[in-house]
Amino acid sequence: MHELSIALSIVDECANEALSRGSTRVISVYLKLGELSGVVEEALRFSFNLACEGTALEGSRLLIEQVPVTVYCPSCEAERVLPSIQVFRCPICETLTPEVVRGRELEITAIEIEESNAAGNNTAGELQEVAR
Amino acid sequence: MNTQPRLVEVRKNVLKQNDVLARGLRERFLQSAVYVISLVSSPGAGKTTLLERILSTLREQGLQVAALVGDLATENDAARLARARVPVKQITTGTVCHLDAEMVERALASWQLDEFDFLFIENVGNLVCPSSYDLGENLRLVLLSVTEGEDKPLKYPTIFNTADLALLTKVDLATAVEFDLDQARSNIESVRPGMQVLEVSAKTGAGLAELGNFLLSKLPNRAAVATF
């Protein structure tokens, strides 16, 4: 159960990221979670809610994109998604293949933050981005 | 005051801090010409017993070896390994179920790494959490004891997939517990195609010479050392 320490890292990282952009509230966190990351989604969700308490992420949503394992099949010379991580075999030609292309991700891809316009120090570019 | 939600791209690896530290450790190991092997397995698979044998055997060959050993609470493992009369340091993790690069770095602070040929890092007995943490090691050894059942690799594919060498341990008991060695090998091959598998027994010494030779082959200056 190392998900709590991972959740704490996520909260830290996102709070800092938000603060560096002048925001003290994170609304959502977008996370890529590879099937080979060694992290269990349910345990992470549970830990995340605990880790958020009393921080800029309190009440935030954790949006997880599960990333299946993609291997490179040397016989097909193509990338293939594995139906099961118990069998590292090309699903088409059945060649055993150890080469993992994707599926180890544990990555914060984006955060949604609450931004104050009252400060009046937004650049024109930032305002345009907010408007979009 | 007017507030607006705004989506910002982050793209940050959550374990980046660990990965950066691990990269630093790997660089340091390379510069000190020490080959670093970590051991992972479930609790009770025989990491400490096997390591005790390996440490003595390598020491008797005139090699300089040392070990770090991770455990939740006790220092029993370090005391056992110290019987091999090599430098041993315990990392007591408290409630943390795995070692990370920072713990390893802290434990190594007072050691002159260039004095060693091999450094072993025994992880906390756990087949799940250690898989996420790079320790900067050159080789990750995963142990599967014959008393555990052949399907462990299928139940914990991630840890087997991140390993570089698999050891089937306690093979002296294989017949008694009706362990199917071929099935175990085939399951390991399924989750980590191409990984070498050695059969060992710390009790009878079976397979230890083969393991020793495997490790010696990793030393940059191997011609200077006899094989087992």
Side-chain angles (χ1 to χ4, degrees), chain A residues 1-2 13 17 30 36-37 85-88 96 98 104 106-113 115-118, chain B residues 1-14 98 129 132-133 154 157-158 161 189-191 193:
Chain A
M1 174 73 183
H2 59 312
E13 193 64 62
E17 191 69 37
Y30 293 79
L36 275 181
S37 65
I85 60 166
Q86 294 174 330
V87 187
F88 277 70
L96 280 165
R104 299 196 197 279
L106 179 56
E107 187 191 321
I108 305 162
T109 52
I111 53 175
E112 191 181 2
I113 55 178
E115 198 166 64
S116 163
N117 289 336
Chain B
M1 190 167 93
N2 187 16
T3 58
Q4 295 261 16
R6 178 180 162 205
L7 193 64
V8 292
E9 195 177 338
V10 179
R11 299 221 171 272
K12 279 225 170 104
N13 180 350
V14 176
H98 58 270
C129 312
S132 302
Y133 296 86
L154 303 180
T158 305
N161 189 269
E189 178 73 2
S190 178
V191 296

Side-chain angles (χ1 to χ4, degrees), chain A residues 15-70:
Chain A
N16 288 336
E17 191 69 37
L19 206 60
S20 75
R21 293 159 194 274
S23 166
T24 52
R25 188 165 128 69
V26 177
I27 303 160
S28 344
V29 175
Y30 293 79
L31 188 79
K32 270 192 182 170
L33 187 63
E35 243 188 314
L36 275 181
S37 65
V39 172
V40 180
E41 180 174 342
E42 288 71 32
L44 182 63
R45 284 190 184 285
F46 177 77
S47 307
F48 181 78
N49 289 334
L50 292 176
C52 285
E53 280 176 25
T55 74
L57 280 81
E58 181 138 16
S60 65
R61 287 180 309 162
L62 179 62
L63 298 144
I64 295 179
E65 179 194 342
Q66 284 278 359
V67 183
V69 176
T70 302

Side-chain angles (χ1 to χ4, degrees), chain B residues 91-163:
Chain B
I91 305 175
T92 309
T93 60
T95 54
V96 181
C97 49
H98 58 270
L99 293 180
D100 63 29
E102 195 189 346
M103 297 178 203
V104 171
E105 192 180 72
R106 227 181 304 134
L108 289 178
S110 60
W111 276 359
Q112 283 293 333
L113 286 179
D114 48 14
E115 288 172 6
F116 304 127
D117 298 302
F118 288 110
L119 168 69
F120 291 87
I121 305 173
E122 181 184 331
N123 216 317
V124 180
N126 181 337
L127 281 175
V128 183
C129 312
S131 62
S132 302
Y133 296 86
D134 185 359
L135 304 179
E137 71 267 60
N138 302 104
L139 186 90
R140 190 178 278 189
L141 267 181
V142 60
L143 284 70
L144 168 60
S145 67
V146 300
T147 51
E148 289 177 72
E150 304 84 356
D151 58 352
K152 271 276 167 79
L154 303 180
K155 289 182 178 167
Y156 301 93
T158 305
I159 193 94
F160 279 85
N161 189 269
T162 60

Side-chain angles (χ1 to χ4, degrees), chain B residues 65-95:
Chain B
V65 291
L68 294 180
V69 47
D71 206 342
L72 293 172
T74 73
E75 302 212 346
N76 297 347
D77 284 0
R80 281 171 64 193
L81 291 177
R83 294 194 300 219
R85 287 184 289 143
V86 304
V88 175
K89 203 177 281 180
Q90 179 90 37
I91 305 175
T92 309
T93 60
T95 54

Side-chain angles (χ1 to χ4, degrees), chain B residues 176-198:
Chain B
V177 297
E178 297 181 355
F179 185 82
D180 186 339
L181 288 163
D182 290 337
Q183 185 61 53
R185 281 177 173 275
S186 144
N187 290 343
I188 293 170
E189 178 73 2
S190 178
V191 296
R192 178 71 160 93
M195 177 158 67
Q196 195 174 341
V197 181
L198 299 177

